[in-house]
Amino acid sequence: MTVSLQKHGQIAVVTIDNPPVNATSHAVRLGLQNALHQTTQDDDVQSVVLHCAGRTFVAGADITEFGAPPQDPSLPDLLAQIEAAPKPWVAAIHGTSLGGGLETALVCHYRIADPAAKLALPEVTLGLIPGAGGTVRLPRLIAPEQAVEMIAGGKPVTAARALELGLIDQIASADLLGEAIALAEGATRRAPLTMRPFIAVTSQDTWDNAAQKIKTKARGQTSPIAAITALENALKMDAPAALAAERALFEELRDSDQCKALRHIFFAERATAQAGRIKGVAATPLSQVGVVGGGTMGAGIAAACLLAGYPVTLIERNNEAAVAGRDRVLATLDQSLKRGVLTTAAHLQAVENFHISTNYTALSDADLVIEAVFEDMQVKIDVLTALEAAVRPDAILATNTSYLDINVMAAALTRPSRVIGLHFFSPAHIMKLLEIVVTDSVDDQTTATAFAFAKRLKKIAVRAKVGEGFIANRIMSAYRREAEYMLEDGAMPWDIDTAMRKFGFPMGIFEMQDLAGLDISWAMRKRLNATRDRTQRYVDIGDKLCEGGHFGRKTGRGYYDYSDSGKARPSAETRALIMAESRRKGITRVQISDKAIMARILGRIRSEAAMLLHEGIARCADDIDVVMVNAFGFPRWTGGPMFHTSGQD
Ligand code: 3HC
Ligand code: NAI
């Protein structure tokens, strides 16, 4: 039964059981309506507890129903009926109460939550606003400035924060259902939220500031702006009018291109994991992880593993480097504690789980070792060979190389079937994407284990085959090249960056390179110089900047000049260098419009993507969308470069 009813004395317990996430699909809505009738008519029932089976409270409307014709009862109608119920309803919340799930909790007259519960209205992340009363009921419970943060930001709040805000009445101590029943026993009917006045804004200034912040951050996405409109309606209209206005906005957004694109990405991100589900092959459980190299990436990877609860041993070349690596990792754990990502107990446990060493024998129990040493084939082969001698024969050896040929690394070892690429993005403990690079010799168990490892790290794992730069860096190198051609053809770095920002990227390609350090790609170009195809156009501007010691932000100069406070401004020196390079090559510079800049960048992304698909390096076009959105901030609300149709460019 999707919705069932049981009586505990005078308390009716209504249970939703609709795996995997108890979404309010049609069967759930019908079941709830039925339960509402039964509990209303049964004179023995004093009040009702609404709770969910499985891992979570209702995680929202059923997104798969969005494209289909509506079926009654609609969620808003059903929720209005529950809100008007003559007997008090108590929502018992565990797991995640999201979107339509939180809206369901809001029509219940009391809310009690498990201490680990999270509550959110994440509709904006799907290009929507709450469409079942969230924008109208929430500001009648919490201050509008906080409501707008939840609705337009979409971020979850913890149970403790929800209690502080007044969003819930109680946190359960041990037995959520038992305590919810106890709460229901003493409950009297409260006025529904829509009958209460909304909470006034603290001041027009605080509201305007909060709204302005959201508008700036939206960068072309429409739903956060619509969320502000819906809340402003709720603050000036009566509840029925505001509910109708909210629904009209919701329906308009639901049919919009942005919402379709965001739904596409939502499902594409979940579908990437299919590449790790191999028939008849189970992932090996991992209990000890080793990381070699404690620099930017190694420290980030170690932190990511510790945050996921793995014991980690970090190996460095000497004591000094090991201590520096340890400090980097501990600083990240401290930040995570400060940001509330880790509880005090989990932080302590992570610190206890972390060890450093300069000796590979410390990895004799490791199930997985990830190397993140210098990007040099010989250094990596030496490290992997030494590792192979030190670890158990069944341990997996992974490389975080950005560009190097992992087939060559595997071939240098005696157990190539246990070698795989795990390509993290910087900062590794934050970035969601992980490219899992399967070599020609890797076995299925290693691949399945790598995907299971990614899931535990809460990463989106995309399968790639070996090839210079795999998926992400190969596409990035291609559109960076196109951007460099445009420098010679007539655009300046800041023109290109501005066009990319207007399109919705969080930053342009030249700002991004200045941030990452120009020396990294310079080293790669030098490595490839001997084998470079001389018939292909080559732009020397990046090399010349590096020869002058302009490595980007870290040296105060790159494509841009940086003030002491870190503010970027167009560099006269870069401009002069670019003009000189155009002259040297005999190119007549022409003005390139923002539209033409983006057409060239998108065209290059798509043609490189087509080659990756043809070569079998990427599994499918959806995976490329997922990579571009999660690695380089390709605007999510376009659905990624492959989904994004040319008409919308
Ligand atoms: N509708 C339909 N299917 C959903 C769903 C939803 N709302 N949420 C998750 N699923 C499916 C996923 O597609 C996935 O299916 P698969 O196993 O076939 O790939 C499965 O449930 C499990 O999802 P995850 O892999 O994401 O599981 P996690 O445990 O990592 O995360 C979650 C669970 C936090 C609930 C996450 O799935 C999530 O964030 N879901 C979306 C929540 C959301 O956006 N809700 C708002 C919906 S819009 C709405 O409510 C409108 C309302 O205002 C009217
Ligand atoms: P880094 O220079 O910050 O760190 C490398 C670390 O490896 C140094 O601390 C060094 O002491 C250590 N090391 C070198 N040889 C060693 C050995 N034999 N034994 C133990 N430790 C050794 O470099 P970074 O940026 O962390 O890159 C590491 C790897 O990750 C490279 O392959 C790089 O291509 C890749 N990568 C880098 C990304 C980035 O954004 N920086 C992103 C994704 C991958």
Side-chain angles (χ1 to χ4, degrees):
M1 281 279 271
T2 326
V3 177
S4 58
L5 199 156
Q6 273 191 329
K7 287 211 296 199
H8 292 249
Q10 288 187 296
I11 309 300
V13 174
V14 174
T15 304
I16 301 175
D17 187 2
N18 184 29
V21 295
N22 291 316
T24 56
S25 357
H26 184 231
V28 170
R29 300 198 301 275
L30 276 180
L32 280 177
Q33 196 173 46
N34 201 15
L36 175 65
H37 287 315
Q38 279 186 51
T39 54
T40 303
Q41 275 156 15
D42 186 340
D43 290 338
D44 286 346
V45 170
Q46 176 200 317
S47 26
V48 183
V49 169
L50 175 64
H51 96 132
C52 290
R55 59 177 158 142
T56 182
F57 192 76
V58 176
D62 186 338
I63 306 168
T64 58
E65 284 183 359
F66 279 2
Q71 285 177 291
D72 285 338
S74 72
L75 189 60
D77 288 350
L78 170 70
L79 296 191
Q81 291 163 23
I82 296 178
E83 184 176 52
K87 297 169 185 176
W89 278 53
V90 175
I93 302 167
H94 75 289
T96 42
S97 168
L98 305 180
L102 182 51
E103 290 173 301
T104 304
L106 286 176
V107 298
C108 292
H109 309 94
Y110 295 81
R111 286 160 290 280
I112 175 170
D114 180 80
K118 298 246 168 74
L119 298 88
L121 290 168
E123 285 88 343
V124 279
T125 61
L126 291 168
L128 293 165
I129 57 165
T135 66
V136 180
R137 292 190 180 94
L138 195 64
R140 286 171 158 78
L141 201 55
I142 72 174
E145 289 89 344
Q146 272 133 10
V148 80
E149 234 174 74
M150 279 188 77
I151 294 173
K155 295 250 160 65
V157 294
T158 59
R161 177 70 182 143
L163 186 67
E164 215 174 85
L165 288 171
L167 186 49
I168 57 173
D169 302 286
Q170 197 177 318
I171 296 184
S173 46
D175 167 20
L176 175 66
L177 186 56
E179 290 172 52
I181 292 172
L183 177 60
E185 277 163 351
T188 51
R189 199 173 169 289
R190 275 177 175 171
L193 288 176
T194 46
M195 304 290 277
R196 296 193 212 169
F198 57 77
I199 300 171
V201 291
T202 318
S203 75
Q204 194 57 39
D205 273 358
T206 56
W207 174 259
D208 291 344
N209 284 343
Q212 190 48 50
K213 255 197 223 154
I214 289 157
K215 285 181 187 159
T216 312
K217 228 176 137 195
R219 297 197 315 265
Q221 189 182 347
T222 49
S223 55
I225 316 288
I228 299 174
T229 308
L231 265 165
E232 283 174 344
N233 288 339
L235 300 183
K236 62 178 187 239
M237 297 176 178
D238 61 23
L243 284 171
E246 177 200 78
R247 193 65 191 170
L249 258 176
F250 172 86
E251 284 174 1
E252 188 185 317
L253 290 168
R254 188 189 54 198
D255 298 331
S256 68
D257 288 337
Q258 288 198 359
C259 181
K260 285 179 200 147
L262 286 160
R263 267 160 26 215
H264 157 74
I265 277 291
F266 178 87
F267 288 114
E269 282 178 348
R270 279 150 186 86
T272 62
Q274 281 161 8
R277 293 182 200 130
I278 303 165
K279 217 171 164 204
V281 180
T284 316
L286 304 175
S287 44
Q288 294 275 345
V289 177
V291 176
V292 185
T296 310
M297 290 310 288
I301 295 167
C305 296
L306 290 163
L307 289 170
Y310 287 111
V312 175
T313 302
L314 177 72
I315 305 285
E316 258 290 354
R317 291 183 289 173
N318 51 47
N319 275 331
E320 204 187 346
V323 168
R326 183 197 62 195
D327 291 349
R328 269 181 214 115
V329 174
L330 293 182
T332 303
L333 295 180
D334 288 351
Q335 275 164 21
S336 302
L337 176 67
K338 276 198 204 107
R339 285 175 33 232
V341 176
L342 280 181
T343 60
T344 312
H347 176 261
L348 197 67
Q349 185 63 57
V351 173
E352 269 177 25
N353 277 346
F354 181 46
H355 299 97
I356 54 171
S357 177
T358 54
N359 197 330
Y360 289 126
T361 52
L363 298 179
S364 57
D365 285 335
D367 306 292
L368 163 71
V369 183
I370 306 163
E371 75 73 20
V373 301
F374 301 135
E375 184 75 345
D376 178 285
M377 181 60 93
Q378 198 50 52
V379 173
K380 292 208 186 272
I381 288 182
D382 290 348
V383 165
L384 290 169
T385 310
L387 273 174
E388 196 173 41
V391 299
R392 288 198 323 266
D394 61 336
I396 295 175
L397 298 183
T399 171
N400 181 48
T401 180
S402 305
Y403 290 95
L404 299 175
D405 188 332
I406 308 176
N407 282 331
V408 172
M409 293 181 209
L413 302 184
T414 52
R415 290 187 296 274
S417 64
R418 308 297 283 170
V419 177
I420 197 158
L422 290 179
H423 183 229
F424 289 80
F425 291 77
S426 181
H429 66 292
I430 304 232
M431 295 290 280
K432 295 286 279 177
L433 186 67
L434 177 65
E435 284 179 320
I436 295 189
V437 189
V438 296
T439 61
D440 294 345
S441 48
V442 71
D443 62 31
D444 285 347
Q445 198 186 21
T446 301
T447 304
T449 305
F451 272 89
F453 170 69
K455 190 168 169 63
R456 167 109 176 245
L457 260 50
K458 298 203 173 87
K459 302 281 184 209
I460 300 166
V462 172
R463 180 188 182 280
K465 285 218 312 205
V466 177
E468 180 84 18
F470 318 120
I471 302 174
N473 284 343
R474 164 122 166 234
I475 296 184
M476 198 266 281
S477 299
Y479 72 83
R480 184 179 58 204
R481 240 184 348 264
E482 189 62 39
E484 287 168 353
Y485 295 164
M486 285 191 268
L487 293 183
E488 288 183 341
D489 294 345
M492 285 293 152
W494 30 97
D495 299 329
I496 295 169
D497 287 349
T498 304
M500 290 181 76
R501 277 182 184 268
K502 277 194 196 154
F503 181 75
F505 277 91
M507 63 170 77
I509 184 78
F510 295 105
E511 299 168 89
M512 189 175 100
Q513 289 182 83
D514 269 3
L515 189 64
L518 303 184
D519 46 329
I520 294 177
S521 49
W522 188 36
M524 186 202 40
R525 288 194 299 274
K526 283 193 283 192
R527 178 170 60 77
L528 296 177
N529 193 36
T531 51
R532 172 162 66 82
D533 177 359
R534 304 279 151 184
T535 60
Q536 261 210 3
R537 180 172 174 184
Y538 187 81
V539 177
D540 304 75
I541 295 164
D543 295 351
K544 290 193 173 172
L545 283 172
C546 288
E547 282 158 18
H550 295 194
F551 290 164
R553 258 179 196 277
K554 61 186 169 191
T555 53
R557 280 161 172 222
Y559 285 99
Y560 292 80
D561 286 342
Y562 294 90
S563 65
D564 290 344
S565 65
K567 201 170 161 28
R569 39 169 205 276
S571 156
E573 217 176 312
T574 305
R575 177 192 295 275
L577 171 65
I578 292 171
M579 300 298 280
E581 283 298 294
S582 301
R583 268 196 310 277
R584 184 173 73 83
K585 297 217 176 147
I587 298 169
T588 308
R589 294 176 66 80
V590 291
Q591 178 108 26
I592 311 178
S593 68
D594 288 353
K595 200 164 182 248
I597 288 172
M598 283 320 298
R600 283 179 66 171
I601 287 180
L602 294 173
R604 184 54 74 133
I605 291 175
R606 291 201 191 102
S607 62
E608 200 66 31
M611 281 191 268
L612 284 168
L613 291 172
H614 175 70
E615 292 162 26
I617 289 174
R619 199 176 57 116
C620 57
D622 287 6
D623 278 6
I624 292 175
D625 283 338
V626 171
V627 165
M628 289 303 295
V629 164
N630 288 286
F632 304 120
F634 194 100
R636 198 178 172 82
W637 56 94
T638 64
M642 310 302 276
F643 181 84
H644 186 58
T645 61
S646 51
Q648 293 166 301
D649 289 351

